[in-house]
Structures are given as C-alpha cells and as structure tokens.
Amino acid sequence: MKTTRRTFIGATTMAAGAGILTSFTKDGKTLPRYKASGNGLKLSFRPYELQLKHVFTIASNSRTTTAVMLTEIEWEGVIGYGEASMPPYLGESHQTATKFLSSLNLSQFKDPFRMEEILDYVDAALPGNCAAKASVDIALHDLVGKLLNQPWYRIWGYSAETTPLTTFTIGIDKSAEVIAKTKEASAFKILKIKIGGGNDEEMIKSVRSVTNVPLCVDVNQGWKDRQEALDKVHWLKEQGIVFIEQPMDKHNFDDTAWLTQNSPLPIIADEAMQRVGDLERLHGVYSGVNCKLMKCTGMREAHKIIEMARSLKMKTLMGCMTETSCGISAASQLSPIVDWADLDGNLLISNDIFEGMKVIDGKVTLSDLPGIGMRKKV
Ligand code: MG
C-alpha cells in the first residue's frame, strides 16, 4: 500500500487521543507512533449463522448452515474484527465459543502491540477452542494492522503479486448436480473436488465432461485400503489431478507414509494437521499440509506453520472453512508464500457482511486495506 499523507492524517485523526505520539522522518514526513495510554482492550462478540448457497456434502456429512462467532477488539476508538467458523465436526459451537470468550479478560492488556503476550494468554486460557481463539487472534491482528496502517502481508514482508490461484470446491453429489456446479465455477482456473464418498470415478468424470482445468481432490479420510488408494492416485494422475488431500484416516500414519512414498502426486494433510506442533511428526508422512486459521488458533500460528513447512521443504496449502470475508481476508494475508490456496469459503455463503480479498481471474487478489484487508459492507 502506498502510504500517502492523506492516510497518515486519517490514521492520526482516527486515533486522536489514543496515546499517539508523532515523529518525523528525515524528509519531514510525519509518522504515527502509538504508546499504551492506560486503557485496556475491549473484546465483544456475537453469534451469527452463515447460510450456504448449496447443500455442502463431504465424505462424512452434509449441511446447509455454519455457525460462526463474530468478534471485535476495540482500543482507543479503533476496532479490529475477527471471526470463528465452527463446522459441527470440529466440536465447537455458539455455546462453547460464548463460554470461552466470556472467560477472557483482555482489559488487563493496555497495549495491543504486545501480541505474543496477549495471544499466549488466550491460548492458555482453556484447551481446545481453536476457532474461538482464532477469532481473538484475527481481531487483534486487524486492530494492530490498522494502528500500523498496513495490511499484514506487508508487515510480514510478502508481495501481493505472488498470490496463487484459488481452488473452488465442488462437493459430493449426483452427476447432473456436479456438472451444473462445475459450469457455475467456470471463472476458476483450478477446482477442488470432494471425493471419498463411494462415487470417485463418477465425480471426476462428471467434472471432466465440462472442464479441462487442473483439479485437486479432497478425500476427507474416505479411502480405507492403501493399495486401492494408490491405484486411485495413479488413475487420478491421468485425469489431470494436481494433489490429493487427506486420503486416509488421520491416525493412519503407516499406510499414509507408504502411499506418499509411492504416490506420483503430492499427498497433503488436512484433518491430520492442526497445530504447529503436528508438523514434526507429519514431516516424511505427507508431502505437505493444509493450514487453516480455525484449526491452528489464527494468524500468529498459521504464519509459523507456513514458514516452518517451507523450511522443511513441505508443500503448503492455505485453506479455510465456510467463512465470511473476515476470516478469508485474514487467511489470504499469508497466501503470497503458499503453493496453493483454497480460499473460497466466502463464495459458498449468501450472507457475507464483510468485503475484502477478491478472486479476480481465478487469483487471490489482496486489498490494500490495513489490518486483515477487509471492511464491513455498508
Ligand atoms: Mg480438506
């Protein structure tokens, strides 16, 4: 983002009285600088329910709504927004998130820039609750990015030009519906096909009857036998598939390691990959990992996961749940350095209340808005 005098004035005005100090660069430009002013962070939250445009079916279940919790952290008149997306199979709900968020006391923190200290406190408050923790992490990143007047991809030092294409997901369905959904997704240059529901060949053939774009597949642990899995991988390679996500049970390390060793396509961990601590044991078992903010407690840990996976020479995929543009824009801040992105969750819902990252010509396109790069729709 080009920081103009106008944006400085905007930031300064926005935070007037917020313990702001003004300093000057050599050429006389003013820079805003903040210090703790004695007022603590204010956390608020409200439940919301996402309406899905289509019934969404994967190998284990179907649904038409997703429960989310929308959070805000306010400090000195500046508000950061966050979100917890809680698909039922992850075990979190409006009730659990309410309990978790109510247990936090962020007013004890007078300085939002001490993010490590604040997020260590949030992570240690209760075990689990990863999506609820992510909702605080995202709101804090949004707040601090706004105070710095920069989007996070710039704070981390990444380039907006290197973002990947994003996949668009086609759920398991009958052939006619799969063909219709694939035609609807013609703007996307790569698709993710859900399989593992017993009709794998039919799913792929239906998609291939209307498009030649590269595909990746997500089995959601649906394959049970490793030799049968390897035969399927070879068949899928001939169909132009790019990678295979979570082919077998997340606990089945031995067969997955054998499959990865013998597979001509990268094998990516999703359900098996939660927190940064999982990476060490997944290294050598999978070719790469699908990192999602809602699984790993948010942007702070996702940043660590992606950077660590890259240093281990593992493939990286930035994924999502069904989310508003709040969670999706936050995740997209990391997309400039990943191999693939699966950031379509906001496109699967009909009641998004935010706008931020856009998919243009199939590519993740970051906004220059500060923080997590999104705003509330008016
Ligand atoms: Mg998956």
Side-chain angles (χ1 to χ4, degrees), residues 212-337:
N212 289 318
V213 298
L215 307 175
C216 47
V217 296
D218 189 353
V219 192
N220 289 113
Q221 313 180 76
W223 295 343
K224 307 300 174 202
D225 178 83
R226 73 182 195 180
Q227 185 57 53
E228 202 177 314
L230 184 59
D231 293 344
K232 285 186 188 238
V233 172
H234 281 291
W235 182 79
L236 288 165
K237 184 166 190 295
E238 289 166 20
Q239 312 307 311
I241 274 60
V242 179
F243 67 79
I244 315 279
E245 188 172 316
Q246 200 63 56
M248 307 186 78
D249 187 284
K250 63 181 176 182
H251 301 296
N252 188 345
F253 274 49
D254 290 347
D255 287 340
T256 304
W258 178 87
L259 183 63
T260 299
Q261 256 175 17
N262 291 286
S263 169
L265 294 174
I267 305 291
I268 306 297
D270 184 6
E271 285 86 338
M273 174 69 209
Q274 303 278 322
R275 304 289 305 263
V276 66
D278 296 328
L279 261 184
E280 204 176 341
R281 61 196 181 95
L282 296 182
H283 183 229
V285 177
Y286 291 84
S287 327
V289 291
N290 183 346
C291 175
K292 297 177 181 172
L293 300 185
M294 300 302 151
K295 292 192 298 184
C296 74
T297 71
M299 295 170 74
R300 174 177 75 144
E301 191 155 316
H303 183 228
K304 289 179 187 165
I305 289 170
I306 299 292
E307 290 287 10
M308 196 179 292
R310 277 158 49 93
S311 71
L312 291 168
K313 304 274 185 274
M314 294 176 81
K315 296 283 187 189
T316 53
L317 166 63
M318 196 67 216
C320 64
M321 308 295 177
T322 42
E323 297 165 15
T324 69
S325 289
C326 178
I328 297 296
S329 299
S332 70
Q333 299 298 310
L334 277 161
S335 68
I337 56 159

Side-chain angles (χ1 to χ4, degrees), residues 36-73:
S37 66
N39 294 323
L41 304 179
K42 284 189 203 129
L43 171 68
S44 58
F45 53 90
R46 70 181 173 97
Y48 190 63
E49 190 151 76
L50 303 181
Q51 305 297 324
L52 308 189
K53 290 177 184 169
H54 294 288
V55 178
F56 193 66
T57 303
I58 62 171
S60 57
N61 64 69
S62 294
R63 65 180 200 276
T64 55
T65 61
T66 302
V68 303
M69 191 67 91
L70 300 174
T71 53
E72 293 183 14
I73 298 178

Side-chain angles (χ1 to χ4, degrees), residues 98 275 375:
T98 299
R275 304 289 305 263
R375 66 182 146 221

